Amino acid sequence: STLFPYTTLFRSQVLFLGSDESIYGSAREIHEAYGVKSTILAAANPMTATRNSEIIEVKLVPGINDDPIFITEITKIGQQLKAAGQATILVGSGDKYAALIAKHKAALSEYFVIPYVDYERMIELNHKETFEPLAAAYGLDMPATQRISAADVDHEVISPWGYPVILKSDNSVEWMDLYFPGHKKIYFINSTEELNEVIKLAYENGYTSTFTMQDMIPGDDSYERNLTAYIDQNHKVRVISMGHALIEDPGPQGRGNHMAIMPDYNEDIY
């Protein structure tokens, strides 16, 4: 069958990579607006959010979540779409797919509309040690922060602010490719002993990048706000959407992901 077997009112079709909640949300918006299904490519059995959806067609491409299979298979698909005259926007779920698309932006732009910044800028923004100077330059407040590296395994690390503290990877793509007992997306650390156990465990299991330790801001999930800006190719903000987070995913691989968000409005934050 063809990649996009459905009649559509789009000027451009959308090809999704990955199968998480963000992809389901986008596919649902497309279905509500245009009444058409979306096509997603997944490396393995789709995640729960999209697995049994009737508005999504899933095509399994083993290994597409890593090079060299990613660039090989996406290029083949892009060539087919270009030959068919089908303009297509390429959208990935999560940091890893976004990074892969941005990494190959120059080559893939021949076949797809790529709605991502250049790879070097994406890495600068995604990696916390390079994001922090940018945030400071623009006057964005951040919690008190300390960087931790593999060299710190050789001595005891102590929080200068007391506990609890937050510990998180500075390289989310590398971190999510790892798995070992006790692996979590974000750690809520309550003691010096726990802090050093997690650091040692991570580096013993192959992690090579740095960690960010931050003073934990008190308050439950409902104190959080989510701000999404939709920016066009000319760097102009077209739409800003604000949400009031009600609850986060409590799972070890999902902390930091909002499960329920209520629309909100606050011009002071805008």
Side-chain angles (χ1 to χ4, degrees):
S1 62
T2 59
L3 189 64
F4 298 121
Y6 306 100
T7 301
T8 157
L9 300 178
F10 292 137
R11 287 183 297 173
S12 296
Q13 180 59 272
V14 183
L15 176 59
F16 293 110
L17 305 177
S19 58
D20 66 8
E21 292 85 353
S22 67
I23 296 299
Y24 173 77
S26 297
R28 180 171 173 173
E29 291 291 332
I30 289 172
H31 187 265
E32 289 178 354
Y34 299 100
V36 298
K37 291 186 177 182
S38 290
T39 299
I40 69 172
L41 305 182
N45 192 33
M47 298 175 69
T48 304
T50 53
R51 186 175 304 159
N52 299 310
S53 175
E54 295 183 357
I55 64 171
I56 292 171
E57 171 152 334
V58 179
K59 294 185 180 294
L60 296 181
V61 184
I64 199 169
N65 56 340
D66 259 318
D67 277 328
I69 294 176
F70 169 81
I71 186 59
T72 300
E73 295 300 319
I74 293 297
T75 299
K76 290 178 183 177
I77 292 169
Q79 291 170 342
Q80 295 170 11
L81 293 170
K82 184 177 181 179
Q86 175 63 69
T88 303
I89 305 169
L90 190 60
V91 176
S93 67
D95 294 343
K96 185 168 186 178
Y97 277 118
L100 282 168
I101 295 170
K103 180 180 179 181
H104 297 288
K105 181 177 179 180
L108 295 177
S109 293
E110 182 177 349
Y111 312 110
F112 299 97
V113 176
I114 305 296
Y116 293 100
V117 296
D118 292 340
Y119 182 68
E120 291 74 18
R121 174 63 76 176
M122 179 177 286
I123 296 302
E124 184 181 25
L125 294 171
N126 280 351
H127 288 197
K128 297 175 182 64
E129 71 271 26
T130 48
F131 171 76
E132 287 165 14
L134 286 174
Y138 286 95
L140 300 176
D141 292 333
M142 295 186 65
T145 298
Q146 180 176 318
R147 192 78 57 235
I148 296 170
S149 71
D152 293 307
V153 173
D154 297 331
H155 62 270
E156 185 176 62
V157 180
I158 300 175
S159 163
W161 320 291
Y163 299 91
V165 295
I166 301 292
L167 185 71
K168 49 193 174 183
S169 160
D170 286 332
N171 186 339
S172 60
V173 173
E174 180 188 357
W175 185 250
M176 296 312 291
D177 271 345
L178 295 175
Y179 181 76
F180 49 85
H183 181 280
K184 299 179 181 180
K185 182 183 178 187
I186 299 172
Y187 293 87
F188 294 81
I189 304 291
N190 292 294
S191 68
T192 296
E193 181 182 12
E194 183 183 5
L195 174 62
N196 286 273
E197 285 178 355
V198 172
I199 295 169
K200 183 178 180 181
L201 185 65
Y203 288 115
E204 285 179 345
N205 282 276
Y207 185 60
T208 62
S209 300
T210 55
F211 284 101
T212 288
M213 177 171 65
Q214 290 182 325
D215 189 15
M216 185 171 175
I217 299 174
D220 60 30
D221 294 347
S222 66
Y223 284 84
E224 294 192 24
R225 299 295 186 274
N226 181 290
L227 190 65
T228 302
Y230 297 87
I231 304 169
D232 67 18
Q233 61 185 342
N234 299 312
H235 314 293
K236 301 297 184 182
V237 176
R238 294 292 187 172
V239 178
I240 292 180
S241 174
M242 184 174 178
H244 181 174
L246 301 180
I247 188 171
E248 284 189 356
D249 188 333
Q253 303 302 330
R255 291 305 297 264
N257 296 335
H258 298 139
M259 297 187 70
I261 302 174
M262 182 172 65
D264 201 353
Y265 185 83
N266 188 322
E267 286 195 6
D268 291 336
I269 294 178
Y270 295 168

